[in-house]
């Protein structure tokens, strides 16, 4: 995914409208006041964005949107759990300023979700207590508190106003004012397990980019000259456009009028064709061209809150609950009337108040402009029962969504909610809560931090949460949010433990979304800091931090004893391999897994439940399409190709040769023995690489490094291209008469080094300094000095040679490599030319490990220069450092709002797990995209069923064998997990197993393995089989693997292949073989 493009259309300023009244107020924010810390205006320009801090968010929003946000002042009113969640995300996002408002004081009921207040703050103003904590999140965003009532004059200074704790009367009054004055207005609130968001961005709100996706491009092979011209794209990839999209063109030969034309609206005709309107007056098309998708501005019209209450437009949160938004729309209004009448909300699970609420609903609904014809009384009862509750996961969900709407309002980036969004999580309640409702006293508590959560779930459930043992794997963005939520929920706060592990340290780029970290935490261990910060939010939170990578190397830590005491695992990982490893462990130990991930504004949640659902690994995304080798080497046509080529160059020049040299220096004989065993021409190539690193290209002085870099420039951007054009001249035709350089093949040109061109010096400067670092030579960061040295380098004129083979496609290259080999004499000659160990004594050489986020190490400087020079060879538009870092560094775009929402959804699923729900329909897998916005939920997929004989099984099933057996005994006797024969002698046990096996399964084991080691097979030599038959299984494993079984291992896993009674192969579960203590 590449960086998001800056729009070419200008937009109205987000500064206050000239028609607004200029009323002076002592409480008015001084927008020109300098923040105590560095601000975006520090150098007199709000357009200077700290890319080191905001890098991951910039890949989501883009520079233009970030600049607009940096010009926006935001007011957030109401600093309970929801308000502080919104404020946290908005401050992290990087607006100009945030003013937090609350007239009320901290109450005990706030402590279940307001993570910036403590028990000691009860009785203090919420906004004032929260101000300092929010200020720490982002040094570029001034945060100020306001504790007086909101007035219209006070609102004038803000571009966006957010209300979270206002009455309907105040919402309407301030909403009307904001609509009139052109101030973007958002209302958000949660009541128990119900929440809603309302947006009013004015009469004519311009959306510059509705979805945030990278604009598509497609290579053109033909364009018809017609009243509705048809564009045909080359057939190696679908164009991906949709009817209604707009495109423009570049590099079209012949019909040149299309190049950089005004965007044309298209109609898709097929996967490789689309029409672009009248082309009859244009020139004849000859060849080539690229069609580029253009994001066109869209104008959206919003009604004021008052008007929209009477005639609401809904964004659906769950397509299985499409009838609920209308009911909840009226219910929230009724709740406000109830509160006005009783000066309180309905009491938790109180029948009297609920009956009053239902009566009032019927009365209000009857005369409501948005009247509901059929109201779900069960839903309304649940609404009344839990509406006085307050839980952190709901605040995270609604807070993440609302904060993203604030960013949309500031920037015009992404499609806003139009205009009402309702969400509920009633599935979190215990099964059939209305018919099995406990006594009302179960939900009552006073002056304790979980009372708002107890009001929904009851005291017994709170005690159960406190005893939970969880394993949080990862302490990055998702991990930080998880720990915050668990702490607020009271998980592991009374007998249980949350274990969190992460081996990474904190970097500056983490601070933009991993909100438990502060600037002074940079370079500290993530898990330690996150654990301490979450415990500070709730001193009763029992969290233990580890610094381990999860994998086979730490199974002595996360062993049987560790997993057996867990209630569940929550993944907070950023790579597929670790996710799949943890998934396998959870399946083996039969533990629930809460899986989640984000990609920019997209997020997903998956709940894995033993014996009910499929596992995370059961379904996978298709692999990313790889770039053909020949495209990278000789025929690139996109900046992604040149960046991958540059990454490969970095590895091939600064990493792999030094790796080989270190191996050779540590043990020459072993290195040579291993190298000569490689296939094809690899031994010769490997030894030549080693010789270049230790002899031919080994520098002694920094001047040698510059000399090498200058010649490396010549070889790659001049000589190689000239040889390619010698083999395939620009006017060459294929056997079918088509120009060779057409379609995806771009005809290159060589680059002549010029010290006056900055890009050329960039390359030599970075390459020379990296070469010096690799050999322990002092670097020279004086650019002028390096330029002078490069100018003095004598470069031999290159002459293309006949007989050089250049492969046109990967199949040719593969066929050539298969026929290639290594001449033993040539290999011997290279080996003998290597210096002796005596000559290499004291040699310093170390591989450079690519690190994208350190701007001082010159790694990205080399990649950018290398890629853009390659792009210049092929006339490919270059990429700046920001975009290059995204692609070459394989960065995952990220933003705090999505993380907040996704982790909120994860914790709602956690409630269900703790409740012990065994009905899969109550669980929700989710996919969200805040840019659209889109919310999709579905019940998890059942674990697929397999069958042998008449026995059904799934990935959660296995055979259980307890106690030592010989291989012969094992082959004859094992039984399914529901039967245990742990008593009696070994002979009695095996006889019993024999009977069970023969009676129930009638299977013959044909192969038996443990890990990658084959223990038995039907084709194994008879002597070896006989030798192994009398060995105990544990002994056999140690003999075959040549490793002792670690003391922490309580059970072995055996994979078996079996034949049924008819001799046919059947798939069966694995065997868990529990060792004798």
């Amino acid at each position: 995914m590449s960086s998001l493009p800056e729009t070419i259309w200008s937009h109205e300023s987000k500064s206050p409208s000239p028609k607004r009244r200029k009323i002076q107020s002592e409480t008015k924010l001084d927008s020109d006041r300098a923040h105590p810390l560095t601000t975006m205006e520090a150098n007199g320009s709000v357009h200077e964005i700290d890319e080191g801090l905001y890098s991951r968010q910039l890949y989501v929003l883009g520079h233009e949107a970030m600049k607009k946000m940096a010009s926006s002042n935001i007011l957030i009113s109401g600093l309970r759990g929801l308000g502080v969640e919104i404020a946290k995300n908005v401050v992290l996002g990087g607006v100009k300023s945030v003013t937090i408002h609350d007239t009320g004081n901290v109450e005990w009921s706030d402590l279940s979700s307001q993570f910036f207040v403590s028990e000691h703050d009860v009785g203090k103003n919420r906004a004032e207590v929260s101000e300092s904590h929010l200020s720490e999140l982002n040094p570029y965003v001034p945060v100020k508190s306001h504790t007086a009532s909101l007035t219209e004059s006070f609102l004038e200074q803000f571009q966006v106003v957010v209300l979270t704790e206002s009455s309907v009367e105040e919402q309407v009054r301030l909403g009307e004012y904001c609509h009139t004055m052109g101030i973007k207005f958002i209302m958000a609130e949660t009541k128990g397990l119900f929440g809603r968001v309302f947006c009013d961005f004015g009469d004519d709100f311009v959306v510059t980019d509705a979805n945030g996706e990278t604009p598509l491009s497609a290579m053109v092979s033909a364009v018809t000259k017609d009243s509705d011209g048809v564009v045909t794209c080359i057939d190696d990839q679908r164009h991906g456009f949709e009817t209604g999209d707009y495109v423009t063109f570049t590099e079209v030969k012949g019909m040149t009028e299309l190049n950089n034309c005004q965007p044309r609206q298209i109609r898709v005709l097929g996967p490789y064709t689309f029409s672009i309107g009248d082309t009859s007056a244009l020139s004849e098309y000859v060849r080539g061209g690229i069609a580029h998708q253009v994001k066109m501005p869209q104008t959206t019209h919003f009604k004021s809150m008052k008007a929209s209450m009477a005639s609401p437009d809904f964004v659906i949160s769950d397509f299985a609950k499409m009838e609920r938004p209308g009911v909840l729309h009226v219910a929230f209004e009724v709740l406000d009337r109830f509160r006005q009448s009783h000066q309180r909300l309905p009491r938790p699970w109180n029948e009297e108040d609920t009956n009053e609420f239902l009566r009032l609903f019927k009365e209000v609904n009857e005369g409501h402009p948005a009247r509901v014809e059929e109201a779900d009384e069960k839903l309304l009862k649940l609404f009344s029962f839990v509406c006085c509750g307050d839980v952190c996961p709901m605040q995270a969900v609604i807070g993440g969504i609302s904060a993203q709407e604030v960013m949309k309002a500031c920037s015009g980036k992404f499609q806003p909610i139009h205009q009402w969004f309702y969400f509920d999580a009633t599935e979190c309640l215990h099964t059939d809560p209305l018919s099995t409702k406990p006594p009302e006293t179960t939900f009552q508590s006073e002056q304790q931090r979980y009372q708002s959560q107890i009001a929904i779930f009851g005291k017994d459930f709170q005690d159960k949460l406190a005893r939970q043992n969880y394993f949080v794997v990862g302490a990055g963005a998702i991990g930080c949010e998880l720990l915050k939520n668990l702490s607020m929920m009271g998980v592991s706060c009374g007998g249980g433990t949350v274990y969190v592990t992460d081996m990474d340290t904190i970097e500056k780029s983490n601070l933009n979304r991993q909100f438990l970290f502060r600037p002074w935490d940079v370079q500290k261990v993530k898990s330690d800091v996150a654990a301490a910060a979450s415990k500070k939010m709730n001193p009763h939170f029992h969290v233990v931090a580890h610094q381990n990578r999860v994998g086979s190397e730490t199974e002595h830590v996360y062993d049987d004893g560790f997993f057996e005491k867990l209630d569940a695992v929550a993944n907070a990982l950023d790579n597929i391999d670790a996710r799949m490893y943890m998934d396998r462990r959870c399946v083996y130990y039969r533990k629930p897994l809460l899986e989640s991930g984000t990609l920019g504004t997209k997020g997903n949640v998956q709940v894995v439940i033993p014996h009910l659902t499929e596992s995370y690994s059961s379904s996978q995304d298709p692999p990313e399409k790889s770039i053909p080798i020949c495209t990278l080497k000789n025929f690139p046509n996109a900046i992604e190709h040149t960046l991958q080529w540059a990454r490969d160059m970095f590895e091939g020049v600064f990493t792999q040769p030094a790796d080989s040299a270190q191996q050779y220096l540590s043990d020459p004989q072993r290195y040579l023995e291993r190298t000569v065993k490689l296939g094809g021409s690899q031994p010769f190539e490997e030894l030549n690489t080693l010789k270049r690193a230790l002899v031919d290209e080994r520098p002694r002085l920094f001047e040698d490094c510059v000399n090498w870099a200058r010649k490396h420039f010549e070889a790659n951007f001049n000589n190689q291209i000239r040889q390619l054009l010698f083999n395939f001249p620009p006017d060459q035709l294929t056997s079918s008469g088509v120009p060779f350089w057409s379609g995806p093949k771009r005809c290159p040109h060589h680059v002549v080094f010029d010290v006056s061109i900055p890009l050329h010096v960039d390359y030599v400067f970075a390459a020379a300094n990296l070469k010096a670092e690799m050999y322990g030579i002092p670097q020279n960061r004086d650019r002028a000095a390096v330029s002078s040295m490069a100018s003095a380098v004598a470069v031999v004129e290159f002459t293309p040679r006949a007989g050089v083979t250049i492969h046109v496609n990967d199949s040719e290259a593969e066929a050539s490599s298969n026929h290639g080999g290594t001449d033993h004499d040539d290999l011997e000659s290279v080996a003998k030319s290597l210096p002796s160990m005596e000559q290499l004594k004291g040699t310093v050489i170390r591989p450079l490990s690519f690190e994208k986020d350190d701007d001082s190490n010159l790694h990205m400087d080399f990649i950018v220069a290398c890629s853009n020079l390659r792009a210049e060879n092929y006339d490919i538009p270059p990429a700046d450092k920001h975009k290059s870092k995204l692609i070459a560094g394989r960065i995952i775009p990220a933003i705090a709002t999505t993380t907040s929402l996704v982790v909120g959804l994860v914790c709602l699923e956690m409630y269900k797990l703790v409740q012990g729900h065994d009905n899969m329909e109550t669980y929700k897998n989710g996919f969200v995209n805040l840019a659209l916005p889109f919310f999709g939920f579905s019940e998890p997929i059942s674990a697929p069923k397999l069958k042998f004989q008449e026995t059904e099984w799934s990935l959660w099933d296995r055979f259980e064998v307890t106690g030592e057996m010989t291989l012969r005994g094992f082959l004859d006797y094992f039984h399914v997990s529901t039967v245990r024969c742990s008593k009696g002698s070994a002979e009695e046990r095996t006889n019993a197993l024999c009977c069970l096996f023969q009676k129930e399964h009638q299977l013959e084991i044909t192969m038996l393995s443990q890990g990658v080691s084959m223990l038995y097979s039907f084709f194994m030599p008879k002597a070896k089989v006989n030798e192994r038959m009398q060995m105990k299984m544990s002994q056999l494993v140690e003999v075959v693997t040549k490793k002792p079984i670690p003391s922490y291992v309580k059970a072995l896993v055996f994979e078996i292949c079996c034949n049924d009674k008819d001799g046919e192969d059947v798939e069966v579960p694995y065997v868990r073989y529990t060792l004798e203590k």
Side-chain angles (χ1 to χ4, degrees):
M1 187 179 289
S2 58
S3 59
L4 302 173
E6 297 183 10
T7 180
I8 60 174
W9 294 279
S10 61
H11 303 285
E12 59 184 3
S13 170
K14 299 299 187 247
S15 58
S17 169
K19 66 181 179 180
R20 299 181 187 174
R21 290 173 291 152
K22 302 297 181 183
I23 299 177
Q24 299 299 320
S25 170
E26 293 181 359
T27 57
K28 184 173 180 178
L29 173 69
D30 182 3
S31 59
D32 297 323
R33 175 175 61 89
H35 192 259
L37 299 173
T38 307
T39 69
M40 280 207 186
E41 307 94 70
N43 297 315
S45 172
V46 297
H47 302 308
E48 296 175 8
I49 298 172
D50 187 343
E51 292 191 0
L53 175 65
Y54 293 114
S55 64
R56 304 310 189 259
Q57 181 174 292
L58 276 166
Y59 295 124
V60 181
L61 298 176
H63 283 79
E64 192 65 30
M66 285 287 294
K67 290 174 185 176
K68 292 177 181 177
M69 285 170 54
S71 301
S72 300
N73 299 311
I74 314 299
L75 170 67
I76 300 170
S77 175
L79 261 290
R80 294 183 188 269
L82 177 57
V84 77
E85 184 70 43
I86 297 171
K88 177 257 291 182
N89 292 326
V90 171
V91 171
L92 289 172
V95 295
K96 184 175 183 180
S97 74
V98 172
T99 298
I100 53 176
H101 165 260
D102 204 311
T103 59
N105 295 333
V106 177
E107 301 170 357
W108 283 98
S109 60
D110 297 330
L111 300 182
S112 61
S113 63
Q114 221 289 18
F115 45 84
F116 281 153
V117 300
S118 68
E119 297 172 10
H120 303 294
D121 296 320
V122 173
K124 300 176 184 177
N125 181 272
R126 296 187 191 96
E128 291 178 340
V129 172
S130 304
E131 179 182 348
S132 61
H133 297 286
L134 288 166
S135 295
E136 291 176 351
L137 294 176
N138 192 337
Y140 295 110
V141 180
V143 178
K144 183 177 180 180
S145 60
H146 178 67
T147 59
S149 298
L150 294 179
T151 62
E152 293 180 354
S153 60
F154 180 73
L155 299 186
E156 285 187 338
Q157 62 198 295
F158 302 104
Q159 281 70 56
V160 184
V161 170
V162 184
L163 303 183
T164 68
E165 289 290 335
S166 300
S167 66
V168 171
E169 183 277 328
E170 185 174 49
Q171 292 169 359
V172 170
R173 177 175 62 83
L174 297 181
E176 288 296 304
Y177 175 77
C178 289
H179 187 86
T180 301
M181 301 301 291
I183 301 170
K184 313 302 186 291
F185 177 78
I186 297 170
M187 183 279 297
E189 59 182 325
T190 61
K191 292 292 180 283
L193 296 175
F194 298 84
R196 66 173 179 169
V197 180
F198 168 78
C199 296
D200 170 16
F201 295 170
D203 293 325
D204 298 297
F205 181 73
V206 177
V207 178
T208 58
D209 182 353
N211 60 21
E213 299 296 331
T214 303
L216 302 171
S217 62
M219 303 191 77
V220 176
S221 63
V223 184
T224 64
K225 188 175 179 180
D226 206 342
S227 59
D228 192 15
V230 175
V231 177
T232 303
C233 301
I234 61 174
D235 59 6
D236 68 338
Q237 188 172 350
R238 296 167 179 257
H239 55 64
F241 299 138
E242 296 179 0
T243 295
D245 286 349
Y246 285 79
V247 300
T248 188
F249 296 84
T250 58
E251 303 182 33
V252 175
K253 301 294 192 296
M255 197 177 284
T256 55
E257 297 91 338
L258 289 178
N259 290 329
N260 300 310
C261 66
Q262 287 296 313
R264 286 175 169 247
Q265 192 171 22
I266 69 168
R267 179 168 58 90
V268 171
L269 305 175
Y272 306 102
T273 56
F274 57 89
S275 63
I276 57 171
D278 191 357
T279 57
S280 58
L282 306 184
S283 306
E284 289 290 339
Y285 174 82
V286 176
R287 69 173 182 272
I290 303 173
H292 304 274
Q293 184 185 33
V294 178
K295 298 289 185 77
M296 302 294 285
Q298 303 173 12
T299 301
T300 306
H301 308 287
F302 290 83
K303 293 177 284 191
S304 69
M305 184 170 186
K306 183 178 181 181
S308 188
M309 285 176 68
S311 178
D313 296 310
F314 299 122
V315 171
I316 301 299
S317 64
D318 188 339
F319 290 98
K321 303 177 179 179
M322 292 188 65
E323 76 289 347
R324 291 194 177 183
V327 177
L328 295 177
H329 185 70
V330 180
F332 270 91
E333 195 171 329
V334 171
L335 185 65
D336 183 74
R337 293 204 186 185
F338 185 101
R339 180 166 50 184
Q340 297 299 327
S341 175
H342 297 273
Q343 298 303 303
R344 61 171 174 80
L345 295 173
R347 289 166 291 183
W349 299 88
N350 181 272
E351 293 287 353
E352 181 183 351
D353 284 356
T354 295
N355 290 334
E356 168 67 10
F357 178 83
L358 291 174
R359 184 196 63 75
L360 192 57
F361 182 91
K362 292 177 182 178
E363 178 184 311
V364 171
N365 185 51
E366 195 61 37
H368 202 287
R371 180 176 180 272
V372 180
E373 293 299 329
E374 294 184 14
D376 183 344
E377 187 169 302
K378 179 180 177 181
L379 178 68
L380 292 171
K381 282 185 175 182
L382 290 177
F383 183 86
S384 176
F385 282 152
V386 305
C387 65
C388 67
D390 179 6
V391 290
C392 191
M394 280 297 299
Q395 314 298 21
V397 170
I398 300 300
I401 294 169
S402 302
Q404 189 67 60
E405 295 305 304
V406 172
M407 296 181 188
K408 295 175 185 178
C410 297
S411 65
K413 184 75 174 238
F414 308 139
Q415 190 69 43
I417 289 175
H418 196 276
Q419 288 187 260
W420 293 93
F421 173 83
Y422 286 89
F423 176 83
D424 73 84
T426 55
E427 300 86 1
C428 294
L429 297 169
H430 59 84
T431 306
D432 199 6
L434 297 182
S435 62
T436 59
K437 185 170 73 68
E440 186 179 337
T441 54
T442 303
F443 305 95
Q444 296 173 350
S445 62
E446 292 183 1
Q447 294 199 356
Q448 73 118 310
R449 67 161 45 243
Y450 311 116
Q451 68 182 59
S452 293
Q453 187 165 263
I454 290 172
I456 298 174
F457 298 109
K459 297 174 185 176
D460 292 344
F461 180 77
Q462 189 63 49
D463 291 340
K464 194 173 182 181
L465 279 174
R467 297 191 299 270
Q468 293 292 297
N469 292 302
Y470 261 76
F471 187 24
V472 176
V473 189
I478 289 176
C480 284
E481 290 287 338
L482 269 171
L483 291 176
K484 176 260 289 181
N485 286 2
L486 298 183
S487 174
M488 293 291 96
M489 293 160 64
V491 174
S492 306
C493 292
T497 302
V498 168
Y499 302 90
V500 58
T501 188
D502 198 311
M503 68 286 182
D504 283 347
T505 55
I506 299 165
E507 299 174 356
K508 182 181 178 182
S509 62
N510 301 148
L511 304 180
N512 174 239
R513 63 201 183 283
Q514 299 175 21
F515 91 106
L516 295 182
F517 308 144
R518 302 292 180 266
W520 49 86
D521 294 322
V522 171
Q523 295 306 312
K524 295 180 183 177
V525 177
K526 284 185 176 182
S527 57
D528 289 346
V529 176
S534 56
K535 189 172 181 64
K536 187 176 180 181
M537 293 175 174
N538 182 353
H540 309 288
F541 186 40
H542 188 215
V543 56
V544 176
H546 293 175
Q547 297 82 43
N548 302 317
R549 182 191 302 273
V550 290
S552 57
E553 67 272 23
T554 54
E555 287 182 4
H556 66 287
V557 178
Y558 307 119
D559 57 9
D560 293 1
F562 177 83
F563 271 94
E564 285 166 2
K565 67 186 177 185
L566 293 178
D567 291 290
V569 174
N571 272 351
L573 293 161
D574 61 359
N575 68 88
I576 298 296
D577 290 342
R579 283 184 166 110
M580 295 183 73
Y581 173 80
M582 286 308 302
D583 180 63
R584 292 194 299 271
R585 299 294 276 175
C586 287
V587 170
Y588 176 73
Y589 290 107
R590 294 168 173 170
K591 299 295 179 182
L593 171 65
L594 294 166
E595 173 60 59
S596 60
T598 68
L599 177 65
T601 59
K602 304 185 185 92
N604 69 280
V605 175
Q606 181 181 359
V607 56
V608 177
I609 310 159
H611 306 293
L612 287 181
T613 72
E614 67 175 11
S615 73
Y616 171 79
S617 305
S618 297
S619 57
Q620 299 178 37
D621 294 332
E624 292 184 11
K625 188 175 181 181
S626 60
I627 305 171
I629 299 299
C630 287
T631 298
L632 288 176
K633 290 185 69 173
N634 299 305
F635 308 112
N637 58 63
I639 198 67
E640 288 80 5
H641 301 161
T642 65
L643 281 164
Q644 183 59 56
W645 184 81
R647 267 302 306 272
D648 294 345
M649 181 70 71
F650 184 99
E651 300 294 329
V653 171
F654 304 118
T655 305
Q656 293 166 1
D659 268 334
S660 297
Q662 284 189 340
Q663 292 173 35
Y664 178 78
L665 292 170
S666 64
D667 192 339
Q669 191 62 33
R670 184 178 178 187
Y671 172 83
L672 292 172
E673 288 174 357
R674 187 174 64 249
T675 299
V676 296
K677 292 178 181 177
L678 297 174
S681 59
Q682 289 183 80
F684 185 74
E685 293 170 359
E686 178 76 13
L687 288 181
N688 262 319
T689 298
L690 178 65
K691 182 172 178 287
R692 284 196 300 271
L694 294 177
V695 182
D696 303 338
E697 297 178 358
R698 179 183 175 185
R700 307 289 176 175
L701 302 169
F702 184 78
E703 287 78 1
D704 299 334
C705 299
V706 176
N707 185 290
W708 168 85
R710 171 65 184 88
K711 291 178 178 178
H712 203 255
F713 179 104
E714 198 73 13
N716 286 291
F717 308 114
N718 187 315
N719 303 352
Q720 184 189 102
I721 301 301
R722 290 170 66 186
Q723 182 67 55
L724 181 63
L725 290 174
F726 178 81
N727 282 41
F728 307 106
D731 56 356
Q732 179 159 323
L733 301 179
T734 66
S735 57
S736 58
V738 177
F740 177 84
W741 295 105
S742 62
K745 291 187 178 68
R746 303 172 71 93
C747 186
H749 64 273
H750 67 273
V751 173
V752 178
F753 181 80
D754 186 342
V755 76
S756 67
I757 298 177
L759 180 62
H760 297 192
V761 178
D762 288 345
Y763 181 85
V764 174
F765 180 81
N769 276 287
L770 291 176
K771 188 80 167 180
E773 181 184 0
M774 182 177 164
Y775 285 91
I777 297 170
Q779 293 183 332
N780 187 336
R781 297 296 183 99
D782 184 337
R783 188 179 174 90
V786 173
S787 298
S788 177
M789 294 179 207
S791 300
V793 175
V795 178
V796 178
E797 179 66 24
F798 174 77
T799 302
R801 294 180 291 115
V804 175
T805 301
I806 296 177
H807 301 296
V808 176
N809 53 56
D810 284 6
S811 57
E812 283 185 14
E814 186 176 351
S816 175
S817 66
N818 289 339
H819 292 297
T822 301
D823 184 274
H824 182 75
D825 292 339
D826 290 342
L827 204 60
E828 187 72 22
S829 174
V830 177
K832 286 182 178 179
S833 67
L834 294 173
S836 67
M837 294 308 294
E838 183 63 30
Q839 292 172 302
L840 292 172
K841 190 175 182 179
T843 297
V844 176
I845 183 169
R846 68 180 187 87
L848 305 185
S849 180
F850 177 68
E851 173 48 59
K852 60 187 177 296
D853 287 321
D854 182 356
D855 288 335
S856 67
N857 64 13
L858 297 179
H859 293 192
M860 278 307 306
D861 298 76
F862 174 82
I863 295 291
V864 173
C866 189
S867 170
N868 284 340
L869 283 166
R870 180 78 163 172
E872 184 180 340
N873 283 142
Y874 288 85
D875 293 314
I876 296 169
D880 61 15
K881 190 173 184 178
H882 179 69
K883 181 176 179 179
S884 298
K885 186 183 289 188
L886 171 72
I887 300 170
R890 300 179 179 90
I891 288 174
I892 300 174
I895 191 167
T897 50
T898 311
T899 307
S900 174
L901 165 60
V902 163
V903 176
L905 295 173
V906 166
C907 291
L908 291 175
E909 296 306 304
M910 185 183 295
Y911 281 140
K912 302 170 190 177
L913 289 175
V914 178
Q915 292 273 21
H917 288 186
D918 57 7
N919 181 358
M920 204 162 62
E921 293 180 0
T922 62
Y923 292 95
K924 297 281 187 180
N925 285 349
F927 174 78
V928 299
N929 187 340
L930 286 175
L932 300 179
F934 171 82
F935 306 86
F937 297 96
S938 62
E939 68 180 65
I941 298 174
S942 299
K945 296 291 185 182
L946 300 171
K947 195 172 184 179
F948 68 89
Q949 309 292 17
E950 299 303 317
T951 303
E952 277 195 342
W953 64 281
S954 73
L955 71 143
W956 298 103
D957 296 309
R958 63 191 176 212
F959 295 109
E960 292 276 4
V961 175
T962 302
E964 277 282 34
M965 318 176 86
T966 63
L967 174 59
R968 181 178 299 280
F970 184 89
L971 294 177
D972 292 338
Y973 319 114
F974 73 95
H975 66 104
V976 79
S977 60
T978 54
V979 181
R980 293 185 178 273
C981 296
S982 57
K983 296 180 180 180
S985 67
E987 184 178 1
E988 291 170 341
R989 197 160 60 238
T990 53
N991 286 336
L993 293 171
C994 176
C995 295
L996 285 166
F997 174 74
Q998 292 175 345
K999 181 179 179 181
E1000 294 186 24
H1001 307 303
Q1002 298 179 346
L1003 297 175
E1004 177 193 1
I1005 296 177
T1006 57
M1007 283 191 286
L1008 169 67
S1009 62
Q1010 195 264 333
V1012 296
S1013 300
M1014 181 67 70
L1015 305 181
Y1016 164 81
S1017 69
F1018 68 93
F1019 52 79
M1020 192 174 279
K1022 188 174 182 180
K1024 183 180 286 189
V1025 171
N1026 290 336
E1027 179 187 351
R1028 295 182 177 185
M1029 279 296 183
Q1030 301 309 314
M1031 290 185 186
K1032 288 186 176 181
M1033 295 299 291
S1034 58
Q1035 178 191 5
L1036 176 60
V1037 168
E1038 291 182 332
V1039 168
V1040 175
T1041 62
K1042 299 179 181 178
K1043 295 177 182 178
I1045 297 173
S1047 59
Y1048 60 84
V1049 173
K1050 295 181 180 180
L1052 302 173
V1053 172
F1054 296 133
E1055 299 287 345
I1056 56 175
C1057 295
C1058 293
N1059 287 345
D1060 63 14
K1061 59 185 178 181
D1062 298 320
E1064 298 293 328
D1065 289 342
V1066 289
E1067 193 170 353
V1068 297
Y1070 68 91
V1071 179
R1072 185 174 189 265
Y1073 183 89
T1074 303
L1075 299 169
E1076 288 183 327
K1077 295 182 180 179

